[in-house]
């Protein structure tokens, strides 16, 4: 069921938060999305960032089919969202889950931008979301944007553990989420991918395969995706620093020094 907030229906974007997956590498049977960090389920921090974004009028959470009620109760209600929202069942693949998220959007909705984001990237900011949405809307010929950053590390091509090449990293980017798309071309690209049996490695690949123009949009390296349990300590530290900065107007480094 979709819960709407009429005061936000005129906003240009719908967020699809992908919170499925088996989380095998995380090492917990309950998964990473509901792991507690800084007083809130991991997914709750992600949801609050989108709730604070002035461009987002609806948030659709896609989660494991057998845990819809649990995610609604544990993460969505805990986040106390002002933005309209829905929690829907995911599919067998990420691509199918995003398609399910698209199908959950009421047909009469005016939003023109779809913002797809990993639920396990809780350090995304409302400023990043709003800036990317504004950039996409300002470029008429643009179908999508992928948040990321240039590859800073040396890249190796490996076959069976053997390094076979060291390509020039110039031109390589590390793709993150959110990934943003104009709604109608994105829906058409998903329909075409389903007909052809195409499975992309990320959401932008679906648009690219249908010939849509996709650009990069610079994002911070700290916009990490929680993969293993140890990543929670990093998220906790960053959130604590942000909270201190918001409360005091300064960021303390070491002992006795304010920035």
């Amino acid at each position: 069921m979709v819960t709407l907030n009429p005061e936000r229906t005129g906003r240009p974007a719908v967020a699809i938060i992908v919170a499925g997956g088996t989380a095998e590498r995380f090492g917990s049977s309950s998964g990473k999305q509901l792991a507690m960090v800084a007083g809130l389920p991991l997914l709750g921090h992600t949801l609050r960032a989108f709730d604070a974004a002035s461009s987002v009028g609806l948030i659709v959470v896609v989660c494991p089919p057998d845990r819809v009620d649990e995610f609604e109760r544990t993460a969505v209600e805990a986040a106390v969202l002002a933005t309209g929202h829905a929690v829907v069942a995911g599919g067998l693949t990420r691509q199918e889950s995003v398609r399910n998220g698209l199908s959950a959007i009421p047909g009469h909705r005016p939003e023109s931008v779809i913002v797809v984001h990993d639920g396990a990237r809780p350090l995304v900011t409302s400023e990043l979301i709003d800036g990317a949405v504004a950039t996409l809307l300002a470029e008429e010929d643009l179908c999508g944007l992928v948040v990321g950053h240039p590859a800073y590390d040396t890249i190796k091509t490996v076959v069976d553990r053997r390094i076979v090449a060291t390509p020039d990293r110039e031109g390589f980017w590390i793709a993150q989420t959110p990934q943003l798309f104009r709604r109608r071309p994105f829906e058409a690209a998903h329909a075409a991918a389903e007909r052809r049996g195409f499975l992309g490695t990320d959401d932008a690949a679906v648009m690219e395969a249908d010939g849509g123009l996709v650009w990069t949009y610079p994002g911070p390296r700290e916009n990490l995706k929680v993969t293993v349990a140890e990543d929670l300590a990093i998220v906790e530290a960053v959130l604590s620093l942000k909270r201190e900065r918001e409360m005091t107007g300064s960021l303390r480094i070491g002992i006795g020094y304010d920035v």
Side-chain angles (χ1 to χ4, degrees), residues 11 88 101-102 179 247 255:
R11 297 181 176 187
V88 301
L102 287 170
Q179 298 187 2
M247 293 176 62
I255 299 175

Side-chain angles (χ1 to χ4, degrees), residues 106-125:
H108 65 279
R109 298 291 295 177
E111 290 87 349
S112 56
V113 176
I114 302 296
V115 185
V116 185
H117 187 67
D118 297 319
R121 289 187 189 270
L123 297 180
V124 64
T125 65

Side-chain angles (χ1 to χ4, degrees), residues 45 64 72 112 115 134 184 203-206 248:
H45 293 287
E72 172 79 48
S112 56
V115 185
R184 299 309 177 194
D203 304 292
V206 177
T248 66

